[in-house]
Amino acid sequence: MIHLTPEQHVFVTERHLATLTTLREDGSPHVVPVGFTWDPESGVVRITTNDTSVKALNAERLTPDGAHPRAAVCQVEGGRWITLEGTVSVSRDPDEVAEAVRRYTKRYKEPRVNPRRVVLRIVADKVMSSSYMAF
């Protein structure tokens, strides 16, 4: 599990949007704006979305060897940036969805009601950031 530096942690708790990159079936990148939350205790990025979204479908498609695919979320603000990368999966567990909504509400605002909401879970194993935040 990765751990963020204090500067990186502050940055991922501020209210900013990010981009999420997942891979389409043909291997090309699918990049969309998202809100996300970081869970420092588990090293997990959570993104809520509709279960029929392209990003959810990409996250559910296992690699040819049966592994979970990889994804990256990148947050940029001026000269500050951070990218969290790792394996991505989709959770439909009601408790996981509720926790993701709770965290999203705390960072951004309460999302609209969506009975088809799922959670993309990126288990981060790589972090890159502006050099001043990396130490």
Side-chain angles (χ1 to χ4, degrees), residues 113-132:
V113 173
N114 180 359
R116 301 193 68 172
R117 181 175 284 123
V118 296
V119 179
L120 304 186
R121 299 180 83 251
I122 300 173
V123 179
D125 57 25
K126 184 174 184 180
V127 61
M128 300 174 286
S129 70
S130 302
S131 57
Y132 87 91

Side-chain angles (χ1 to χ4, degrees), residues 101-113:
V101 167
R102 183 190 73 75
R103 289 172 181 270
Y104 182 93
T105 299
K106 184 177 177 182
R107 184 172 186 199
Y108 298 101
K109 65 178 184 175
E110 188 170 348
R112 62 179 171 74
V113 173

Side-chain angles (χ1 to χ4, degrees), residues 9-16 75 77 80 107-108:
H9 181 76
V10 167
F11 189 46
V12 298
T13 58
E14 295 172 353
R15 190 182 189 285
H16 300 288
Q75 177 175 291
E77 193 252 346
R80 299 188 302 164
R107 184 172 186 199
Y108 298 101

Side-chain angles (χ1 to χ4, degrees), residues 16-50:
H16 300 288
L17 293 179
T19 59
L20 169 69
T21 302
T22 58
L23 298 178
R24 296 183 181 98
E25 193 166 11
D26 67 2
S28 64
H30 176 256
V31 183
V32 294
V34 295
F36 76 95
T37 60
W38 168 249
D39 182 345
E41 287 80 33
S42 64
V44 171
V45 171
R46 289 185 181 88
I47 299 162
T48 64
T49 189
N50 193 300

Side-chain angles (χ1 to χ4, degrees), residues 20 22 58-60 68-71 86-90 120-123:
L20 169 69
T22 58
N58 290 343
E60 287 189 308
H68 285 284
R70 294 187 64 79
T87 57
V88 64
S89 61
V90 177
L120 304 186
R121 299 180 83 251
I122 300 173
V123 179

